[in-house]
Amino acid sequence: MSAPLKEEYVNHPLIRKEIIKRRSYQENIFINCLNKNSLVVIPTGLGKTIIALMLAVQRLTEIPDSRIIFLAPTKPLVEQHHASFLEFTTLPQEELKLITGSTPPQKREKIWNDVKIAFMTPQVLQNDIISRIYSLEDVSLIIFDECHRAVGDYAYCFIAKKYMQEAKQPQILGLTASPGSTKEKITEIKENLFIEHVEIKTETDRDVKPYVHAIKNEWVKIKLPLEFLEIRNILKENLKNIYKSLKKMDLINTYDVNNVTRKDLLSLDSVINKRISQASTNEDKFELFDAKKKVANAMRLSHMMELIETQGIHALNEYLTKNQKKIQKNKANKSLKELFYTKDVRRIISLTGQAISSGIYHPKLEKLKEILHQQLKENEHSRILVFCHFRDSVNNIVKFLETDDFIRAHRFVGQQTRESDKGLSQKEQVKILEDFKQGIYNVLIATSVAEEGLDIAECDLVVFYDVVPSAIRSIQRRGRTGRKKEGKVLILMAENTRDEGYYWAEKIKEKNMKLSLKEMRASEAQNKTHGKEQKDILSYLKNMENDRAESETPGGEKIPKKKEESPLTKEEKDSNEITIVCDHRETASPVVRALSLQGVRVQLEHLQVSDYILSNRVGVERKSSKDFNDSLIDGRLFKELKELKNNFKIPILILEGDPFTDSTVTENALYGALTSIILNFNVFIYKTASPEETARMLLELAKKEQTKKETSINLRPEKAPFKTSDLMEFIIAGIPGVNASRAKNLLKEFKTLQALFNSDIPDLTKVEGIGKSIAQQIYKLSRFKYQEE
């Protein structure tokens, strides 16, 4: 018999016991999650990383030749978990690695070969397993942090399916503080992550309560100025008129502005489309198309109302200006133009300009500055997080706070750049968080990117600049304080606005979530092993000792349970021999993931022509019904199909969905476009109902095409240039690591391909942008003897 079970399962030698002080509830959760796909619901700040760490080192001990993956939604959160594992385990540093999208695929493959625990975002892992850079076969545990995201098309869902398909000995651990406000949402997470067991801890549990730090919640009520109320009243009256019209058509049940939600308006699109498809007269169709425009404008008016109520005059002005520019550049659709040409919207634009000229701000800004100033005056070491739903408001708040000497504020937003509003790279986000911890900044004005998981021990005050009607997001926001000491949450709430409505909606959702978890917990208690509750760790360990005796060799060697391998079906074997080249931007659609799950070899490339290449002669452009209509309006469609026709002998357009029931384009124009595609462009059209059906069609086409011996996949799917100099650049840019700019520099230096390929490494490294690694690659390729595989 090996070491005592208590020591082996609870005080693992790979965990630094001198640093980490584990708690009984963590140990109990760890024990209960052994060898089961588990969902752990635990309040923020109670050491969920420690539970993951305990399970990870135990899994590596039981299956020494395996690897572990720790996933988190953002790079700062990934880096935080990586740092915790480095601090709390005795595992060699070179075995704990970050794998990020900024690392080239070849390097990621090399890192993977040497790693024991990989820390990454789900998007990186998803792309790597789709491209088959490495396999999940020997991964014994995947940890899904913030696993409430495992719904819909989020990458967690695909990764879990692929993992359960490929891994020999899979285990999943999902971690969250807020799984969702309904049973249906929690059940969806469980199904998507193949969860068998749920562990739930609350702040009132006897073993948890001693470690919970009090968080004081306060509302700060704010009155809107008369100038704001005048604008709001105009918006409200226009909304009411639209809602009356929609109610008359039996599309909504009320025209009360306070009782029609954004969700209600979004759901109308499919309802109206269905009615259009069933309409028998042109008059009925015209009325329904008009209703679509009214719904679109209702959403715009509702958004404007939210901005003036909860964000302020500058946020509204930026929205109005952005849409005016769209109209001036002729990029606006008909409904937007009609709305902005109305007398009431012109009046709103005028009133907004007058308010800004008068120096009027949302009173929340003055109140926020007052709160921050007072907090930092009383405690200069304080760290404050201010959450704001809209990115435009983040910029306005930072600018407004610049005049206060006590406040050193910085914006903390996502990566996406929007026109002049530059996003923050993941590297910049990590640096800002470090500067915040060090006190270079004492206030962060953040969007939702800072809501999840970030452990900033120094943060003692969280301010909600606005209220979000989401239980998950509110819990996550509050969880940024009270982690190591008492914290405080202040909620700025504009009186008689949707701030108040959102607050109470969130409270109801949070209450429902607690009830759902309570019921789930009771159900879990009834389903304990053999119907009996395990009273403590030791009783469980005694049972484990008996189980283990049966799963050891006479010499004491462990025999971990292996997943039974089912033989591949003929269809799966066939799929494994199929390669489809996909444009890398298509990973945002479920099609590529569906192809990967069917066993297709997916090769991600930056394709200039087509979305999918099935062979040298077959190229496929995929359009959803919405994208088809949008590309028809903006002129992209025929340009893309012309390129498709010019580059492939068999060009195919897959039309996903029905463009006739999801369009503002007239029926005649759609028929004209479709007939032109077939007759003038000689492009085949195939219609599918869903991304899954699209994937199936691509697979069947590829099977048929690739079973012919004379067909093959083009490894350089871009269109080759006609000019000789451009063709030379095209050839050199095909070398890994050499982009178009480096190709130009190399050809300027060596003039001919012959001179370039005959050059030595020292000569190559003299060229701008060519380092030793790329020079070695060129030298090696130019002297390598081709071997057909």
Side-chain angles (χ1 to χ4, degrees), residues 464-499:
F464 288 25
Y465 185 78
D466 46 28
V467 186
V468 286
S470 162
I472 290 174
R473 290 185 60 192
S474 290
I475 290 167
Q476 295 290 347
R477 282 183 173 190
R478 294 199 303 268
R480 298 315 102 215
T481 189
R483 299 176 80 86
K484 300 289 188 294
K485 56 186 177 181
E486 289 187 359
K488 190 175 183 180
V489 173
L490 293 177
I491 303 165
L492 303 184
M493 196 182 294
E495 285 185 4
N496 301 314
T497 68
R498 59 185 74 190
D499 268 344

Side-chain angles (χ1 to χ4, degrees), residues 371-485:
I371 289 165
L372 301 183
H373 180 92
Q374 191 61 35
Q375 175 79 7
L376 293 165
K377 188 177 179 182
E378 291 174 4
N379 179 9
E380 61 178 326
H381 301 296
S382 184
R383 300 286 186 281
I384 306 165
L385 263 173
V386 179
F387 283 108
C388 187
H389 184 59
F390 295 101
R391 199 150 116 176
D392 289 343
S393 294
V394 168
N395 300 330
N396 290 330
I397 293 167
V398 172
K399 193 173 179 182
F400 188 81
L401 298 174
E402 284 174 353
T403 55
D404 193 294
D405 293 335
F406 282 89
I407 302 168
R408 299 186 300 278
H410 201 290
R411 67 198 278 266
F412 192 81
V413 298
Q415 296 178 69
Q416 191 176 354
T417 294
R418 302 166 187 167
E419 297 176 5
S420 60
D421 184 17
K422 190 174 181 296
L424 294 174
S425 69
Q426 292 181 329
K427 191 174 180 181
E428 288 172 319
Q429 290 173 356
V430 171
K431 176 73 167 61
I432 291 166
L433 283 174
E434 190 54 39
D435 290 345
F436 183 58
K437 289 179 182 180
Q438 297 299 326
I440 294 170
Y441 309 116
N442 52 20
V443 177
L444 286 188
I445 315 296
T447 56
S448 59
V449 74
E451 288 174 357
E452 287 180 320
L454 295 177
D455 188 1
I456 305 164
E458 298 79 6
C459 183
D460 48 5
L461 174 62
V462 166
V463 181
F464 288 25
Y465 185 78
D466 46 28
V467 186
V468 286
S470 162
I472 290 174
R473 290 185 60 192
S474 290
I475 290 167
Q476 295 290 347
R477 282 183 173 190
R478 294 199 303 268
R480 298 315 102 215
T481 189
R483 299 176 80 86
K484 300 289 188 294
K485 56 186 177 181

Side-chain angles (χ1 to χ4, degrees), residues 86 214 255 284 370 419 537 580 643 764:
L86 286 174
Y255 56 81
D284 289 343
E370 179 190 319
E419 297 176 5
I537 294 173
I580 296 179
E643 289 291 326
L764 289 164

